[in-house]
Amino acid sequence: MKHKKDCPFCEPKVFGVTFLESKNFRAIYNAAPILPGHSMIVPKSHVESLMKLNDKELCELVRLGRDAVKVLQKAFHTRSFNWTIQEGEPAGQTVGHLHVHIIPRSAKDLPRPGDWYPKLAAWKGKIIDSKSRKRISKNEMDSIVSHLRKMK
Ligand SMILES: [Zn+2]
């Protein structure tokens, strides 16, 4: 499995924030969520682009995303979600490791439904060491992740 030094999604810390996984992908909880439940699907190895996945991996990625949504539906009591991929720097990709954002939504969580995107665009991608966004504490993270792990 290919890993890259200093990549937040390749760091061993990523194990502690994983609440669901398949053979090649993991669902992780964001340490600096833009809304409660903000999670991501990432490949276990350092893959930069969606275009590098074969059909089988692409299917595995979407299936894990769906399974993560099922967990988040129960945990965050909603059936509304934003899914997004920022592919390439001009599209807002800040970490060169493919990640699909999955964000639970609920009525009036933001002033307008589309307001999540500017928040995401301002996200600097430092999932584990974000300083630019309010982080959840280690205890809070551990408790959310263990709660989500029990919900599969
Ligand atoms: Zn990586």
Side-chain angles (χ1 to χ4, degrees):
M1 208 159 276
K2 202 181 99 185
H3 290 114
K4 194 171 176 232
K5 204 176 171 288
D6 298 326
C7 168
F9 301 129
C10 288
E11 281 181 25
K13 279 186 199 167
V14 85
F15 295 110
V17 299
T18 299
F19 63 91
L20 207 59
E21 62 185 309
S22 62
K23 184 167 170 261
N24 299 298
F25 296 88
R26 59 178 79 252
I28 61 179
Y29 197 79
N30 195 322
I34 68 164
L35 283 169
H38 182 181
S39 300
M40 283 174 282
I41 309 298
V42 298
K44 289 180 178 175
S45 53
H46 191 81
V47 176
E48 296 196 351
S49 162
L50 190 71
M51 305 309 281
K52 296 267 162 65
L53 301 180
N54 63 35
D55 288 359
K56 208 169 154 237
E57 292 164 333
L58 200 55
C59 181
E60 189 187 328
L61 167 73
V62 176
R63 288 177 73 160
L64 186 65
R66 179 199 59 190
D67 292 347
V69 162
K70 286 183 188 167
V71 166
L72 296 168
Q73 278 178 343
K74 283 191 242 168
F76 293 90
H77 312 290
T78 182
R79 304 191 76 76
S80 299
F81 288 84
N82 289 115
W83 292 54
T84 194
I85 300 170
Q86 294 153 302
E87 177 85 359
E89 264 186 63
Q93 185 174 12
T94 51
V95 178
H97 183 139
L98 172 64
H99 50 285
V100 181
H101 293 272
I102 296 184
I103 306 166
R105 298 300 307 275
S106 54
K108 301 193 171 76
D109 56 359
L110 292 172
R112 288 167 304 177
D115 287 349
W116 65 279
Y117 196 79
K119 283 176 172 285
L120 187 67
W123 181 78
K124 294 294 176 223
K126 296 275 184 193
I127 179 214
I128 308 213
D129 297 308
S130 177
K131 291 178 181 70
S132 57
R133 179 181 302 288
K134 193 180 173 301
R135 300 186 43 145
I136 56 175
S137 69
K138 166 97 173 60
N139 281 349
E140 202 180 341
M141 174 62 92
D142 291 347
S143 119
I144 291 170
V145 169
S146 77
H147 180 63
L148 294 176
R149 282 175 182 164
K150 283 182 220 140
M151 292 204 136
K152 352 179 210 189

